[in-house]
Amino acid sequence: MLRFFRIYGMSVVYSLFVLYMSIVPKLPDLNLPDFDLKDKIMHGGAYVVLSMILCYELYRQRYSFSDKWMLLWGIVYPILFGGLIELLQENFFPPRSGEWSDWLADIIGTLIGFFLAKWLCQKFFKPEDKGLSCR
Protein backbone atom coordinates (compact mmCIF):
# COMPACT_ATOMS: atom_id res chain seq x y z
CA MET A 1 0.00 0.00 0.00
CA LEU A 2 2.82 2.39 0.85
CA ARG A 3 4.45 1.63 -2.50
CA PHE A 4 1.18 2.53 -4.27
CA PHE A 5 1.05 5.95 -2.57
CA ARG A 6 4.74 6.56 -3.27
CA ILE A 7 4.08 5.97 -6.96
CA TYR A 8 0.56 7.41 -7.39
CA GLY A 9 0.40 9.82 -4.44
CA MET A 10 0.12 12.99 -6.52
CA SER A 11 -2.93 11.60 -8.32
CA VAL A 12 -4.65 10.64 -5.08
CA VAL A 13 -3.92 13.95 -3.34
CA TYR A 14 -4.93 16.06 -6.34
CA SER A 15 -8.16 14.06 -6.83
CA LEU A 16 -9.04 14.67 -3.19
CA PHE A 17 -8.19 18.37 -3.60
CA VAL A 18 -10.53 18.66 -6.62
CA LEU A 19 -13.26 16.85 -4.70
CA TYR A 20 -12.85 19.12 -1.68
CA MET A 21 -12.86 22.31 -3.77
CA SER A 22 -15.98 21.05 -5.53
CA ILE A 23 -18.06 20.41 -2.41
CA VAL A 24 -17.10 23.24 -0.04
CA PRO A 25 -20.04 25.66 0.28
CA LYS A 26 -17.97 28.79 -0.44
CA LEU A 27 -14.68 28.90 -2.28
CA PRO A 28 -11.95 31.24 -1.06
CA ASP A 29 -11.82 34.60 -2.84
CA LEU A 30 -8.77 34.53 -5.10
CA ASN A 31 -9.19 38.15 -6.24
CA LEU A 32 -9.24 37.05 -9.87
CA PRO A 33 -10.77 39.38 -12.43
CA ASP A 34 -14.41 38.58 -13.12
CA PHE A 35 -15.34 37.57 -16.67
CA ASP A 36 -18.00 35.42 -18.34
CA LEU A 37 -16.20 32.08 -18.66
CA LYS A 38 -14.06 32.22 -15.50
CA ASP A 39 -15.87 29.27 -13.90
CA LYS A 40 -15.54 27.11 -17.03
CA ILE A 41 -11.84 27.95 -17.41
CA MET A 42 -11.24 27.02 -13.77
CA HIS A 43 -13.09 23.71 -14.28
CA GLY A 44 -11.15 22.95 -17.45
CA GLY A 45 -7.85 23.92 -15.86
CA ALA A 46 -8.42 21.66 -12.86
CA TYR A 47 -9.03 18.70 -15.16
CA VAL A 48 -6.08 19.55 -17.42
CA VAL A 49 -3.89 19.22 -14.33
CA LEU A 50 -5.66 16.06 -13.08
CA SER A 51 -5.27 14.27 -16.41
CA MET A 52 -1.64 15.37 -16.74
CA ILE A 53 -0.74 14.11 -13.25
CA LEU A 54 -2.44 10.76 -13.87
CA CYS A 55 -0.72 10.34 -17.24
CA TYR A 56 2.67 11.37 -15.88
CA GLU A 57 2.51 8.85 -13.04
CA LEU A 58 1.40 6.07 -15.38
CA TYR A 59 4.05 6.99 -17.97
CA ARG A 60 6.73 6.73 -15.28
CA GLN A 61 5.51 3.16 -14.72
CA ARG A 62 6.12 2.32 -18.40
CA TYR A 63 2.53 2.57 -19.63
CA SER A 64 2.35 3.88 -23.19
CA PHE A 65 -0.22 6.45 -24.18
CA SER A 66 -2.01 3.86 -26.32
CA ASP A 67 -2.22 1.35 -23.44
CA LYS A 68 -5.75 0.63 -22.19
CA TRP A 69 -4.79 1.54 -18.60
CA MET A 70 -3.45 4.91 -19.71
CA LEU A 71 -6.68 5.61 -21.59
CA LEU A 72 -8.80 4.40 -18.68
CA TRP A 73 -7.03 6.41 -15.98
CA GLY A 74 -5.91 9.38 -18.08
CA ILE A 75 -9.25 10.02 -19.83
CA VAL A 76 -12.14 7.89 -18.56
CA TYR A 77 -11.48 8.33 -14.81
CA PRO A 78 -11.35 12.17 -14.88
CA ILE A 79 -14.46 12.36 -17.07
CA LEU A 80 -16.46 10.06 -14.77
CA PHE A 81 -15.03 11.79 -11.69
CA GLY A 82 -16.16 15.17 -13.02
CA GLY A 83 -19.64 13.83 -13.76
CA LEU A 84 -19.91 12.28 -10.32
CA ILE A 85 -18.89 15.55 -8.69
CA GLU A 86 -21.57 17.43 -10.65
CA LEU A 87 -24.18 14.91 -9.47
CA LEU A 88 -22.97 15.22 -5.87
CA GLN A 89 -23.07 19.01 -6.05
CA GLU A 90 -26.61 19.01 -7.40
CA ASN A 91 -28.01 16.52 -4.91
CA PHE A 92 -26.02 16.71 -1.68
CA PHE A 93 -24.03 19.94 -1.36
CA PRO A 94 -26.22 23.02 -1.51
CA PRO A 95 -25.63 25.84 -2.38
CA ARG A 96 -23.40 24.16 -4.98
CA SER A 97 -25.15 23.15 -8.19
CA GLY A 98 -24.35 20.60 -10.86
CA GLU A 99 -24.21 21.93 -14.41
CA TRP A 100 -23.85 20.19 -17.76
CA SER A 101 -21.61 23.02 -18.96
CA ASP A 102 -19.24 22.47 -16.01
CA TRP A 103 -18.99 18.79 -16.90
CA LEU A 104 -18.33 19.70 -20.53
CA ALA A 105 -15.52 21.99 -19.35
CA ASP A 106 -14.15 19.07 -17.28
CA ILE A 107 -14.23 16.79 -20.35
CA ILE A 108 -12.50 19.34 -22.58
CA GLY A 109 -9.88 19.94 -19.88
CA THR A 110 -9.31 16.20 -19.53
CA LEU A 111 -8.72 15.77 -23.26
CA ILE A 112 -6.38 18.77 -23.42
CA GLY A 113 -4.50 17.44 -20.39
CA PHE A 114 -4.14 13.97 -21.89
CA PHE A 115 -2.70 15.19 -25.18
CA LEU A 116 -0.51 17.80 -23.48
CA ALA A 117 0.83 15.13 -21.10
CA LYS A 118 1.48 12.82 -24.05
CA TRP A 119 3.58 15.47 -25.75
CA LEU A 120 5.41 16.60 -22.58
CA CYS A 121 6.10 13.12 -21.19
CA GLN A 122 7.49 11.78 -24.43
CA LYS A 123 9.62 14.89 -24.90
CA PHE A 124 10.96 15.52 -21.39
CA PHE A 125 10.57 12.42 -19.17
CA LYS A 126 11.77 8.85 -19.17
CA PRO A 127 9.93 5.89 -17.64
CA GLU A 128 11.42 4.57 -14.39
CA ASP A 129 13.51 1.43 -14.19
CA LYS A 130 11.52 -1.81 -14.03
CA GLY A 131 12.48 -2.38 -10.39
CA LEU A 132 10.51 0.69 -9.23
CA SER A 133 7.30 -0.19 -11.03
CA CYS A 134 4.00 -1.12 -9.40
CA ARG A 135 3.16 -3.41 -12.34
Side-chain angles (χ1 to χ4, degrees):
M1 183 66 99
L2 189 58
R3 178 182 211 137
F4 175 85
F5 284 106
R6 183 178 59 82
I7 295 171
Y8 300 109
M10 280 191 305
S11 296
V12 172
V13 169
Y14 191 74
S15 292
L16 291 172
F17 171 75
V18 169
L19 176 63
Y20 172 76
M21 294 303 286
S22 299
I23 63 174
V24 294
K26 184 171 175 13
L27 292 174
D29 187 14
L30 301 175
N31 294 324
L32 296 174
D34 201 23
F35 54 94
D36 287 340
L37 297 176
K38 178 173 83 169
D39 178 52
K40 305 311 174 230
I41 290 172
M42 291 175 68
H43 270 266
Y47 283 82
V48 165
V49 174
L50 178 59
S51 183
M52 288 180 69
I53 290 171
L54 289 160
C55 290
Y56 168 71
E57 290 182 336
L58 287 165
Y59 183 77
R60 282 187 14 217
Q61 300 308 309
R62 299 188 174 272
Y63 287 96
S64 75
F65 278 86
S66 60
D67 189 288
K68 67 179 178 181
W69 291 110
M70 180 71 80
L71 298 172
L72 178 69
W73 290 105
I75 296 177
V76 176
Y77 164 73
I79 289 173
L80 294 178
F81 185 63
L84 176 65
I85 286 175
E86 293 304 317
L87 290 172
L88 289 173
Q89 285 178 330
E90 184 64 31
N91 295 298
F92 299 106
F93 294 100
R96 303 304 297 262
S97 64
E99 298 178 19
W100 287 102
S101 57
D102 286 349
W103 192 34
L104 180 61
D106 300 345
I107 292 168
I108 291 169
T110 295
L111 295 173
I112 291 170
F114 180 83
F115 290 109
L116 190 57
K118 180 178 181 179
W119 178 72
L120 289 172
C121 284
Q122 292 173 344
K123 188 169 179 81
F124 296 109
F125 300 107
K126 294 186 190 281
E128 289 185 1
D129 293 332
K130 275 188 171 179
L132 299 176
S133 178
C134 234
R135 280 181 135 181

